[in-house]
Amino acid sequence: NATSSRSHAVLILKVNSKPEDGRGGLALSSTLYIVDLAGSESTNPNSSSTAADKQTKREGASINLSLCALGKCVSALATNKLHVPFRDSK
């Protein structure tokens, strides 16, 4: 979104190793996921009664609910839960 200061970033780092030729050993593999989720916009505490600040607060609350739902999904997937609550974000 070109007009928003909010953005998300995902970095996936995969590392693979294999034993040297002629030597025994195990091939190893690992994946590291680094996720940066944008937070809500901050509002000006001195002008919290303006319509724009109220709208920004509503948007921030909505974003935070969505991020919370995403966190629940990631947690369920990471712990191999049978149920992934992907419909919790309304």
Side-chain angles (χ1 to χ4, degrees):
N1 182 343
T3 62
S4 176
S5 62
R6 296 182 294 257
S7 64
H8 308 297
V10 177
L11 173 67
I12 302 172
L13 179 65
K14 293 185 178 188
V15 178
N16 298 306
S17 70
K18 58 183 178 178
E20 294 181 22
D21 290 336
R23 294 188 151 188
L26 296 174
L28 301 174
S29 175
S30 184
T31 305
L32 174 66
Y33 297 90
I34 300 173
V35 180
D36 179 20
L37 300 175
S40 63
E41 296 284 336
S42 61
T43 59
N44 183 348
N46 297 324
S47 63
S48 61
S49 61
T50 67
D53 280 339
K54 288 179 183 178
Q55 178 63 25
T56 300
K57 286 181 182 180
R58 281 192 294 271
E59 289 174 1
S62 178
I63 290 167
N64 288 340
L65 286 174
S66 295
L67 292 177
C68 184
L70 178 60
K72 289 178 183 178
C73 290
V74 170
S75 179
L77 291 169
T79 56
N80 295 318
K81 299 282 185 190
L82 294 176
H83 173 69
V84 178
F86 64 92
R87 293 182 187 241
D88 279 1
S89 179
K90 298 201 183 334

Coordinates of all heavy atoms in Angstrom, one line a residue:
N1 N 0.8 -1.2 0.0 CA 0.0 0.0 0.0 C 0.9 1.2 0.0 O 1.6 1.5 0.9 CB -0.9 -0.1 1.2 CG -1.9 1.1 1.3 OD1 -1.7 2.1 0.6 ND2 -2.9 1.0 2.1
A2 N 0.8 2.0 -1.0 CA 1.7 3.2 -1.2 C 1.4 4.3 -0.2 O 2.3 5.1 0.1 CB 1.6 3.7 -2.6
T3 N 0.2 4.3 0.4 CA -0.1 5.4 1.3 C 0.0 5.1 2.8 O -0.3 5.9 3.6 CB -1.5 5.9 1.0 OG1 -2.5 4.9 1.3 CG2 -1.7 6.4 -0.4
S4 N 0.4 3.9 3.1 CA 0.5 3.4 4.5 C 1.9 3.3 4.9 O 2.8 2.9 4.2 CB -0.2 2.1 4.6 OG -0.1 1.6 6.0
S5 N 2.1 3.6 6.2 CA 3.5 3.4 6.8 C 3.6 2.0 7.4 O 4.7 1.7 7.9 CB 3.7 4.5 7.8 OG 2.8 4.3 8.9
R6 N 2.6 1.2 7.3 CA 2.6 -0.1 7.9 C 3.1 -1.1 6.8 O 2.7 -1.0 5.7 CB 1.2 -0.6 8.4 CG 0.7 0.3 9.5 CD -0.6 -0.2 10.0 NE -1.7 0.0 9.0 CZ -2.6 0.9 9.0 NH1 -2.6 1.8 10.0 NH2 -3.5 0.9 8.1
S7 N 4.0 -2.0 7.2 CA 4.4 -3.0 6.3 C 4.8 -4.3 7.1 O 5.1 -4.2 8.3 CB 5.6 -2.6 5.5 OG 6.7 -2.3 6.3
H8 N 4.8 -5.4 6.5 CA 5.2 -6.7 7.1 C 6.5 -7.2 6.3 O 6.7 -6.8 5.2 CB 4.1 -7.7 7.0 CG 2.8 -7.3 7.4 ND1 2.6 -6.9 8.7 CD2 1.6 -7.1 6.8 CE1 1.3 -6.6 8.9 NE2 0.7 -6.7 7.7
A9 N 7.3 -8.0 7.0 CA 8.4 -8.6 6.4 C 8.6 -10.0 6.9 O 8.3 -10.3 8.0 CB 9.7 -7.8 6.7
V10 N 9.0 -10.9 5.9 CA 9.2 -12.3 6.3 C 10.6 -12.7 5.7 O 10.8 -12.4 4.5 CB 8.1 -13.2 5.7 CG1 8.4 -14.7 6.0 CG2 6.7 -12.9 6.2
L11 N 11.4 -13.3 6.5 CA 12.7 -13.7 6.0 C 12.8 -15.2 6.4 O 12.6 -15.6 7.5 CB 13.9 -13.0 6.7 CG 15.3 -13.5 6.5 CD1 15.6 -13.3 5.0 CD2 16.3 -12.9 7.4
I12 N 13.1 -16.0 5.4 CA 13.2 -17.5 5.6 C 14.6 -17.9 5.3 O 15.1 -17.6 4.1 CB 12.2 -18.3 4.7 CG1 10.8 -17.9 5.1 CG2 12.4 -19.8 5.0 CD1 9.8 -18.5 4.1
L13 N 15.3 -18.4 6.2 CA 16.7 -18.8 6.1 C 16.8 -20.3 6.2 O 16.5 -20.9 7.2 CB 17.6 -18.1 7.1 CG 19.1 -18.4 7.1 CD1 19.7 -17.9 5.8 CD2 19.8 -17.8 8.3
K14 N 17.3 -20.9 5.1 CA 17.4 -22.4 5.1 C 18.9 -22.7 5.1 O 19.6 -22.2 4.2 CB 16.7 -23.0 3.9 CG 15.2 -22.9 4.0 CD 14.5 -23.6 2.9 CE 13.0 -23.5 3.1 NZ 12.3 -24.4 2.1
V15 N 19.3 -23.6 6.0 CA 20.7 -24.0 6.0 C 20.7 -25.6 5.9 O 20.1 -26.3 6.6 CB 21.4 -23.6 7.3 CG1 22.8 -24.1 7.4 CG2 21.3 -22.1 7.5
N16 N 21.5 -26.0 4.9 CA 21.7 -27.5 4.7 C 23.2 -27.8 4.8 O 24.0 -27.1 4.3 CB 21.1 -27.9 3.3 CG 19.6 -27.6 3.2 OD1 18.9 -28.1 4.1 ND2 19.2 -26.9 2.2
S17 N 23.5 -28.9 5.4 CA 24.9 -29.4 5.4 C 24.9 -30.9 5.0 O 23.9 -31.6 5.2 CB 25.5 -29.2 6.7 OG 24.9 -30.0 7.7
K18 N 25.9 -31.3 4.4 CA 26.1 -32.7 4.1 C 27.5 -33.2 4.5 O 28.4 -32.4 4.6 CB 25.8 -33.0 2.6 CG 26.7 -32.2 1.7 CD 26.4 -32.5 0.3 CE 27.3 -31.7 -0.7 NZ 27.0 -32.0 -2.1
P19 N 27.6 -34.5 4.8 CA 29.0 -34.9 5.3 C 30.0 -34.8 4.2 O 29.6 -34.9 3.0 CB 28.7 -36.4 5.7 CG 27.4 -36.7 5.2 CD 26.6 -35.5 4.8
E20 N 31.2 -34.6 4.6 CA 32.3 -34.6 3.6 C 32.4 -35.9 2.9 O 32.1 -37.0 3.5 CB 33.6 -34.2 4.2 CG 33.6 -32.8 4.8 CD 35.0 -32.5 5.4 OE1 36.0 -33.1 5.1 OE2 35.0 -31.6 6.3
D21 N 32.9 -35.9 1.6 CA 33.1 -37.1 0.9 C 34.0 -38.1 1.6 O 35.0 -37.7 2.2 CB 33.7 -36.9 -0.5 CG 32.7 -36.1 -1.4 OD1 31.5 -36.3 -1.2 OD2 33.2 -35.4 -2.3
G22 N 33.5 -39.4 1.7 CA 34.3 -40.4 2.4 C 34.2 -40.4 3.9 O 34.8 -41.3 4.5
R23 N 33.5 -39.5 4.4 CA 33.3 -39.5 5.9 C 31.9 -39.8 6.2 O 30.9 -39.4 5.5 CB 33.6 -38.2 6.5 CG 35.1 -37.8 6.3 CD 35.4 -36.6 7.1 NE 36.8 -36.6 7.5 CZ 37.3 -35.7 8.3 NH1 36.6 -34.8 8.8 NH2 38.6 -35.8 8.6
G24 N 31.7 -40.6 7.3 CA 30.3 -40.8 7.8 C 29.7 -39.6 8.4 O 30.4 -38.6 8.6
G25 N 28.5 -39.6 8.6 CA 27.8 -38.5 9.3 C 26.5 -38.3 8.7 O 26.1 -38.9 7.7
L26 N 25.8 -37.4 9.4 CA 24.4 -37.1 9.0 C 24.3 -35.8 8.2 O 25.0 -34.9 8.5 CB 23.5 -37.0 10.2 CG 23.3 -38.2 11.1 CD1 22.5 -37.8 12.3 CD2 22.6 -39.3 10.3
A27 N 23.4 -35.8 7.2 CA 23.1 -34.6 6.5 C 22.1 -33.8 7.4 O 21.2 -34.4 8.0 CB 22.5 -34.9 5.2
L28 N 22.4 -32.6 7.6 CA 21.5 -31.8 8.5 C 20.8 -30.7 7.8 O 21.4 -30.2 6.8 CB 22.4 -31.2 9.7 CG 23.1 -32.1 10.5 CD1 24.0 -31.4 11.5 CD2 22.1 -33.0 11.3
S29 N 19.6 -30.3 8.2 CA 18.9 -29.3 7.6 C 18.1 -28.5 8.7 O 17.6 -29.1 9.6 CB 17.9 -29.9 6.6 OG 17.1 -28.9 6.1
S30 N 18.1 -27.2 8.5 CA 17.3 -26.4 9.5 C 16.7 -25.2 8.7 O 17.3 -24.7 7.7 CB 18.3 -25.9 10.5 OG 17.6 -25.2 11.5
T31 N 15.6 -24.7 9.2 CA 15.0 -23.5 8.7 C 14.6 -22.5 9.8 O 14.1 -22.9 10.8 CB 13.6 -23.9 8.0 OG1 13.9 -24.9 7.0 CG2 13.0 -22.7 7.3
L32 N 15.0 -21.3 9.6 CA 14.7 -20.2 10.5 C 13.8 -19.2 9.9 O 14.0 -18.7 8.8 CB 16.0 -19.5 10.9 CG 15.8 -18.3 11.8 CD1 15.3 -18.7 13.2 CD2 17.2 -17.5 12.0
Y33 N 12.6 -19.0 10.5 CA 11.6 -18.0 10.1 C 11.7 -16.8 10.9 O 11.6 -16.9 12.2 CB 10.2 -18.6 10.1 CG 10.0 -19.8 9.3 CD1 10.3 -21.1 9.8 CD2 9.6 -19.7 8.0 CE1 10.1 -22.2 9.0 CE2 9.4 -20.8 7.2 CZ 9.6 -22.0 7.7 OH 9.4 -23.1 6.9
I34 N 11.9 -15.6 10.3 CA 11.9 -14.4 11.0 C 10.8 -13.5 10.4 O 10.7 -13.3 9.2 CB 13.2 -13.6 10.9 CG1 14.3 -14.5 11.5 CG2 13.2 -12.2 11.6 CD1 15.7 -13.9 11.3
V35 N 9.8 -13.1 11.3 CA 8.6 -12.4 10.8 C 8.5 -11.1 11.6 O 8.5 -11.1 12.8 CB 7.3 -13.3 11.0 CG1 6.1 -12.5 10.5 CG2 7.5 -14.6 10.3
D36 N 8.3 -10.0 10.9 CA 8.1 -8.7 11.5 C 6.7 -8.2 11.0 O 6.5 -8.0 9.8 CB 9.2 -7.7 11.0 CG 9.0 -6.4 11.6 OD1 8.3 -6.2 12.6 OD2 9.6 -5.4 11.1
L37 N 5.8 -8.2 11.9 CA 4.4 -7.8 11.6 C 4.3 -6.3 12.1 O 4.6 -6.0 13.2 CB 3.4 -8.6 12.4 CG 3.5 -10.1 12.0 CD1 2.5 -10.9 12.9 CD2 3.2 -10.3 10.5
A38 N 3.7 -5.5 11.2 CA 3.6 -4.1 11.5 C 2.5 -3.9 12.6 O 1.6 -4.7 12.7 CB 3.1 -3.4 10.3
G39 N 2.8 -3.0 13.4 CA 1.8 -2.7 14.5 C 0.8 -1.6 14.0 O 0.8 -1.2 12.9
S40 N 0.1 -1.1 14.9 CA -0.9 0.0 14.6 C -0.2 1.3 14.5 O 0.8 1.6 15.1 CB -2.0 0.0 15.6 OG -1.5 0.3 16.9
E41 N -0.9 2.2 13.8 CA -0.4 3.6 13.8 C -0.5 4.3 15.1 O -1.5 4.0 15.8 CB -1.2 4.4 12.7 CG -1.1 3.9 11.3 CD 0.2 4.3 10.7 OE1 0.8 5.3 11.1 OE2 0.6 3.6 9.8
S42 N 0.4 5.1 15.5 CA 0.2 5.9 16.7 C -0.6 7.1 16.4 O -0.6 7.7 15.3 CB 1.6 6.3 17.3 OG 2.3 7.1 16.4
T43 N -1.3 7.6 17.5 CA -2.1 8.8 17.3 C -1.5 9.9 18.2 O -0.7 9.7 19.1 CB -3.5 8.6 17.8 OG1 -3.5 8.1 19.1 CG2 -4.2 7.5 16.9
N44 N -1.8 11.1 17.9 CA -1.4 12.3 18.6 C -2.2 12.4 19.9 O -3.4 12.6 19.9 CB -1.6 13.5 17.8 CG -1.0 14.8 18.5 OD1 -0.7 14.7 19.6 ND2 -0.9 15.8 17.7
P45 N -1.5 12.2 21.1 CA -2.3 12.2 22.3 C -2.9 13.6 22.6 O -3.8 13.7 23.4 CB -1.2 11.8 23.4 CG 0.1 12.1 22.8 CD -0.1 12.0 21.3
N46 N -2.4 14.6 22.0 CA -2.9 16.0 22.3 C -4.2 16.3 21.5 O -4.8 17.3 21.7 CB -1.8 17.0 22.0 CG -0.7 16.8 22.9 OD1 -0.8 16.5 24.1 ND2 0.5 17.1 22.4
S47 N -4.5 15.4 20.5 CA -5.6 15.7 19.6 C -6.5 14.5 19.4 O -6.9 14.2 18.3 CB -5.2 16.3 18.3 OG -4.4 15.3 17.6
S48 N -6.7 13.7 20.5 CA -7.4 12.4 20.4 C -8.9 12.6 20.1 O -9.6 11.6 19.8 CB -7.2 11.6 21.6 OG -7.7 12.3 22.7
S49 N -9.4 13.8 20.1 CA -10.8 14.0 19.8 C -11.2 14.2 18.4 O -12.3 14.3 18.0 CB -11.4 15.1 20.7 OG -10.7 16.3 20.3
T50 N -10.2 14.3 17.5 CA -10.4 14.6 16.1 C -11.0 13.3 15.4 O -10.7 12.2 15.9 CB -9.2 15.1 15.3 OG1 -8.3 14.0 15.3 CG2 -8.6 16.3 16.0
A51 N -11.7 13.5 14.4 CA -12.3 12.4 13.7 C -11.2 11.5 13.1 O -11.3 10.3 13.0 CB -13.3 12.9 12.6
A52 N -10.2 12.1 12.6 CA -9.1 11.4 12.0 C -8.4 10.5 13.0 O -8.0 9.3 12.7 CB -8.0 12.3 11.3
D53 N -8.1 11.0 14.2 CA -7.5 10.2 15.3 C -8.4 9.1 15.7 O -8.0 7.9 16.0 CB -7.1 11.1 16.5 CG -5.8 11.8 16.2 OD1 -5.0 11.4 15.4 OD2 -5.6 12.8 16.9
K54 N -9.7 9.3 15.7 CA -10.7 8.2 16.1 C -10.6 7.1 15.1 O -10.7 5.9 15.4 CB -12.1 8.8 16.3 CG -12.2 9.6 17.5 CD -13.6 10.2 17.7 CE -13.7 11.1 18.9 NZ -15.1 11.7 19.0
Q55 N -10.6 7.5 13.8 CA -10.5 6.5 12.7 C -9.2 5.8 12.8 O -9.2 4.5 12.6 CB -10.7 7.2 11.3 CG -10.6 6.3 10.2 CD -11.7 5.3 10.1 OE1 -12.8 5.5 10.7 NE2 -11.4 4.1 9.5
T56 N -8.1 6.4 13.1 CA -6.8 5.8 13.2 C -6.8 4.8 14.3 O -6.3 3.7 14.2 CB -5.7 6.8 13.4 OG1 -5.7 7.7 12.3 CG2 -4.3 6.1 13.5
K57 N -7.5 5.1 15.4 CA -7.6 4.2 16.6 C -8.4 3.0 16.2 O -8.1 1.9 16.6 CB -8.1 4.9 17.8 CG -7.2 5.9 18.4 CD -7.8 6.6 19.7 CE -6.8 7.5 20.3 NZ -7.3 8.2 21.4
R58 N -9.5 3.2 15.5 CA -10.3 2.0 15.1 C -9.5 1.1 14.1 O -9.6 -0.1 14.3 CB -11.6 2.5 14.4 CG -12.7 3.0 15.3 CD -14.0 3.2 14.6 NE -14.0 4.3 13.7 CZ -14.3 5.5 13.9 NH1 -14.6 5.9 15.2 NH2 -14.2 6.5 13.0
E59 N -8.8 1.7 13.2 CA -8.0 0.9 12.3 C -6.9 0.2 13.1 O -6.7 -1.0 12.8 CB -7.3 1.8 11.2 CG -8.3 2.4 10.2 CD -7.7 3.4 9.3 OE1 -6.4 3.6 9.4 OE2 -8.4 3.9 8.4
G60 N -6.3 0.8 14.0 CA -5.3 0.2 14.8 C -5.8 -1.0 15.6 O -5.2 -2.1 15.7
A61 N -7.0 -0.8 16.2 CA -7.7 -1.9 16.9 C -8.0 -3.1 16.0 O -7.8 -4.3 16.4 CB -8.9 -1.4 17.6
S62 N -8.4 -2.8 14.8 CA -8.7 -3.9 13.8 C -7.4 -4.6 13.4 O -7.4 -5.8 13.3 CB -9.4 -3.3 12.6 OG -9.6 -4.2 11.6
I63 N -6.4 -3.9 13.2 CA -5.1 -4.5 12.8 C -4.6 -5.4 14.0 O -4.1 -6.5 13.7 CB -4.1 -3.4 12.5 CG1 -4.4 -2.7 11.2 CG2 -2.6 -4.0 12.4 CD1 -3.6 -1.4 10.9
N64 N -4.7 -4.9 15.2 CA -4.2 -5.7 16.3 C -5.0 -6.9 16.5 O -4.5 -8.0 16.8 CB -4.3 -4.8 17.6 CG -3.2 -3.8 17.6 OD1 -2.2 -3.8 16.9 ND2 -3.4 -2.7 18.4
L65 N -6.3 -6.9 16.2 CA -7.1 -8.1 16.3 C -6.7 -9.1 15.2 O -6.6 -10.3 15.5 CB -8.6 -7.8 16.1 CG -9.3 -7.2 17.3 CD1 -10.7 -6.8 16.9 CD2 -9.3 -8.1 18.5
S66 N -6.4 -8.6 14.0 CA -6.0 -9.5 12.9 C -4.6 -10.1 13.3 O -4.4 -11.3 13.0 CB -5.9 -8.7 11.6 OG -7.1 -8.3 11.2
L67 N -3.7 -9.3 13.8 CA -2.4 -9.8 14.2 C -2.5 -10.9 15.3 O -1.8 -11.9 15.3 CB -1.5 -8.7 14.6 CG -1.0 -7.7 13.5 CD1 -0.2 -6.6 14.1 CD2 -0.3 -8.4 12.4
C68 N -3.4 -10.7 16.2 CA -3.6 -11.6 17.3 C -4.1 -13.0 16.7 O -3.7 -14.0 17.1 CB -4.6 -11.1 18.3 SG -4.9 -12.2 19.7
A69 N -5.1 -12.9 15.7 CA -5.6 -14.1 15.1 C -4.5 -14.8 14.3 O -4.4 -16.0 14.3 CB -6.7 -13.7 14.1
L70 N -3.6 -14.0 13.6 CA -2.5 -14.6 12.9 C -1.6 -15.3 13.9 O -1.1 -16.4 13.6 CB -1.8 -13.5 12.1 CG -0.5 -14.0 11.4 CD1 -0.9 -15.1 10.3 CD2 0.2 -12.8 10.7
G71 N -1.3 -14.7 15.0 CA -0.5 -15.3 16.0 C -1.0 -16.6 16.5 O -0.3 -17.6 16.7
K72 N -2.3 -16.7 16.7 CA -3.0 -18.0 17.1 C -2.8 -19.1 16.0 O -2.6 -20.2 16.3 CB -4.4 -17.8 17.4 CG -4.7 -17.0 18.6 CD -6.2 -16.8 18.8 CE -6.5 -15.9 20.0 NZ -8.0 -15.7 20.2
C73 N -2.9 -18.7 14.8 CA -2.7 -19.6 13.7 C -1.3 -20.1 13.6 O -1.0 -21.3 13.5 CB -3.0 -19.0 12.3 SG -4.8 -18.7 12.1
V74 N -0.3 -19.2 13.7 CA 1.1 -19.6 13.7 C 1.4 -20.5 14.9 O 2.1 -21.6 14.7 CB 2.0 -18.4 13.7 CG1 3.5 -18.8 14.0 CG2 1.9 -17.6 12.4
S75 N 0.9 -20.2 16.1 CA 1.1 -21.0 17.3 C 0.5 -22.4 17.1 O 1.2 -23.4 17.4 CB 0.5 -20.4 18.5 OG 0.7 -21.2 19.6
A76 N -0.7 -22.5 16.5 CA -1.3 -23.8 16.3 C -0.5 -24.6 15.3 O -0.4 -25.9 15.5 CB -2.8 -23.6 15.8
L77 N 0.0 -24.0 14.2 CA 0.7 -24.7 13.2 C 2.1 -25.2 13.8 O 2.5 -26.3 13.5 CB 1.0 -23.8 12.0 CG -0.3 -23.5 11.1 CD1 0.0 -22.4 10.1 CD2 -0.7 -24.8 10.5
A78 N 2.7 -24.3 14.6 CA 4.0 -24.7 15.2 C 3.9 -25.8 16.2 O 4.9 -26.6 16.3 CB 4.6 -23.4 15.8
T79 N 2.8 -26.0 16.8 CA 2.7 -27.1 17.8 C 1.8 -28.2 17.3 O 1.4 -29.1 18.0 CB 2.0 -26.5 19.1 OG1 0.8 -25.9 18.8 CG2 2.9 -25.5 19.8
N80 N 1.6 -28.3 16.0 CA 0.9 -29.4 15.3 C -0.5 -29.6 15.9 O -0.9 -30.8 16.0 CB 1.8 -30.6 15.3 CG 3.0 -30.5 14.5 OD1 3.0 -30.0 13.4 ND2 4.1 -31.0 15.0
K81 N -1.2 -28.6 16.2 CA -2.5 -28.7 16.7 C -3.4 -29.3 15.6 O -3.2 -29.0 14.4 CB -3.1 -27.4 17.2 CG -2.3 -26.8 18.3 CD -2.7 -27.4 19.6 CE -2.0 -26.7 20.7 NZ -2.0 -27.3 22.0
L82 N -4.5 -30.0 16.0 CA -5.4 -30.5 15.0 C -6.3 -29.4 14.4 O -6.7 -29.5 13.3 CB -6.3 -31.6 15.6 CG -5.5 -32.9 16.1 CD1 -6.5 -33.8 16.8 CD2 -4.9 -33.6 14.9
H83 N -6.5 -28.4 15.2 CA -7.4 -27.3 14.7 C -6.6 -26.0 14.6 O -5.9 -25.6 15.6 CB -8.5 -27.1 15.7 CG -9.4 -25.8 15.4 ND1 -10.2 -25.7 14.3 CD2 -9.5 -24.6 16.0 CE1 -10.7 -24.6 14.2 NE2 -10.3 -23.9 15.3
V84 N -6.6 -25.4 13.4 CA -5.9 -24.1 13.2 C -7.0 -23.0 13.1 O -7.9 -23.1 12.2 CB -5.1 -24.1 11.9 CG1 -4.4 -22.8 11.7 CG2 -4.0 -25.2 12.0
P85 N -7.1 -22.1 14.0 CA -8.2 -21.1 14.1 C -8.1 -20.0 13.0 O -8.0 -18.8 13.4 CB -8.1 -20.6 15.5 CG -6.7 -20.6 15.8 CD -6.2 -21.9 15.1
F86 N -8.0 -20.3 11.8 CA -7.8 -19.3 10.7 C -9.0 -18.5 10.5 O -8.9 -17.4 9.8 CB -7.3 -20.0 9.4 CG -8.3 -20.9 8.8 CD1 -9.2 -20.4 7.8 CD2 -8.4 -22.3 9.1 CE1 -10.1 -21.3 7.2 CE2 -9.3 -23.1 8.5 CZ -10.2 -22.6 7.6
R87 N -10.2 -18.8 11.0 CA -11.4 -18.0 10.8 C -11.6 -17.0 12.0 O -12.7 -16.4 12.1 CB -12.6 -18.8 10.6 CG -12.5 -19.6 9.3 CD -13.8 -20.4 9.1 NE -13.6 -21.2 7.9 CZ -14.4 -21.1 6.8 NH1 -15.3 -20.2 6.8 NH2 -14.2 -21.9 5.8
D88 N -10.7 -16.9 13.0 CA -10.9 -16.1 14.1 C -10.9 -14.6 13.8 O -11.3 -13.8 14.6 CB -9.9 -16.4 15.2 CG -10.2 -17.6 16.0 OD1 -11.3 -18.3 15.7 OD2 -9.5 -18.0 16.9
S89 N -10.3 -14.2 12.7 CA -10.2 -12.8 12.3 C -11.5 -12.4 11.6 O -11.8 -13.0 10.6 CB -9.0 -12.6 11.4 OG -9.0 -11.2 11.0
K90 N -12.3 -11.5 12.1 CA -13.5 -11.1 11.5 C -13.5 -9.8 10.9 O -12.9 -8.9 11.3 CB -14.6 -11.2 12.6 CG -14.8 -12.6 13.2 CD -16.1 -12.8 13.8 CE -16.4 -14.0 14.4 NZ -15.9 -15.2 14.3

